[in-house]
Amino acid sequence: MKKIECIIRPEKLEEVKAALDKCGVHGLTVTHVMGCGQQKGRTEVYRGIELNINLLPKIKIEIVAKDSDVDKIVEAVANTARSGKIGDGKIFVYEIAEAIRIRTGEKGDTAI
């Protein structure tokens, strides 16, 4: 099992969710996060004062999937979230040692 963690632009969330649904992904966790990278933030003027905003709003999507599904999920997210501009985000893939469904006690792939 693998955990796929995707950091994307907030405006891409609905498109990515639709792409994941087409891939058969029905379980995911979505979190509103703030971050910075190569984008380096932006400068805004508020009441005549210039503010440097270096933490920008992003969306983090977490999915635990079978090893055999990882490539198609990563490809779906990357293709859907890509705008070609700095700040499109990142995808991280982690190894998962175990998954347990609390309600039934199922373990492994059947728990996801």
Side-chain angles (χ1 to χ4, degrees), residues 22-72:
K22 287 180 184 176
C23 286
V25 174
H26 304 294
L28 55 92
T29 301
V30 176
T31 310
H32 293 272
V33 296
M34 302 287 283
C36 66
Q38 290 181 351
Q39 206 171 1
K40 304 287 190 227
R42 65 178 183 267
T43 303
E44 289 186 6
V45 178
Y46 177 73
R47 294 187 177 187
I49 299 171
E50 192 172 285
L51 300 172
N52 185 13
I53 301 170
N54 66 348
L55 293 177
L56 300 175
K58 300 289 181 183
I59 296 290
K60 179 166 70 170
I61 301 171
E62 297 171 282
I63 304 158
V64 176
K66 296 176 185 176
D67 290 343
S68 59
D69 295 336
V70 171
D71 289 339
K72 72 178 179 181

Side-chain angles (χ1 to χ4, degrees), residues 6-21 28 30 32 57-61 76-90:
C6 312
I7 309 295
I8 64 169
R9 296 175 180 268
E11 62 269 19
K12 293 288 191 173
L13 177 60
E14 292 305 318
E15 292 176 58
V16 170
K17 282 181 9 187
L20 289 171
D21 190 47
L28 55 92
V30 176
H32 293 272
K58 300 289 181 183
I59 296 290
K60 179 166 70 170
I61 301 171
V77 172
N79 291 339
T80 307
R82 183 178 297 122
S83 73
K85 299 176 186 161
I86 291 176
D88 278 349
K90 299 255 191 306

